[in-house]
Amino acid sequence: MQPILRFLSPEEIGKIHESALAILSEIGMRLPAPEALEKLQEAGAEISDQDLVKIPAGVVRKALDRVPGRADVTLYARDPELDVSFDAHQPALSCMTMATNVIDPFTNERRPASQQDLEQLTRLADRSDNIKINGGLVTPQ
């Protein structure tokens, strides 16, 4: 039997969810993406000031009802043995993505990420048996 990690109680998860619904519906968020704003407005969101979107709780709940279940989601690898499935609740290590800066391994100084950093970090993550999900580790500047 594999352990299941739970850091939050169901009540705490519920509080976070309800708070998120309140933030989305009452405060909203800036979304400078016209196509996304159009889709959100069609779904029932309010758009003001050109890019401030407020999404009513009902719209969020309706969208969540349409999200595939864990058993229906697989990240396919080139080698099917390396596919990542979410139905078994097995932990999988994933690399952080889109960092704009790195700590230079030779100088210990922080600097903007480069194309070479992206290449080297991708190769390093790809060779690690522990990392199951690998994306764009850095965004070269």
Side-chain angles (χ1 to χ4, degrees), residues 45-61:
E46 300 173 31
I47 313 298
S48 62
D49 296 333
Q50 294 183 336
D51 66 352
L52 178 64
V53 59
K54 293 182 180 179
I55 309 171
V59 173
V60 175
R61 287 188 182 100

Side-chain angles (χ1 to χ4, degrees), residues 13-35:
I13 292 170
K15 285 181 184 179
I16 292 170
H17 179 73
E18 292 303 318
S19 296
L21 291 176
I23 290 168
L24 287 171
S25 65
E26 297 168 20
I27 298 171
M29 63 181 172
R30 296 257 178 226
L31 185 64
E35 186 176 337

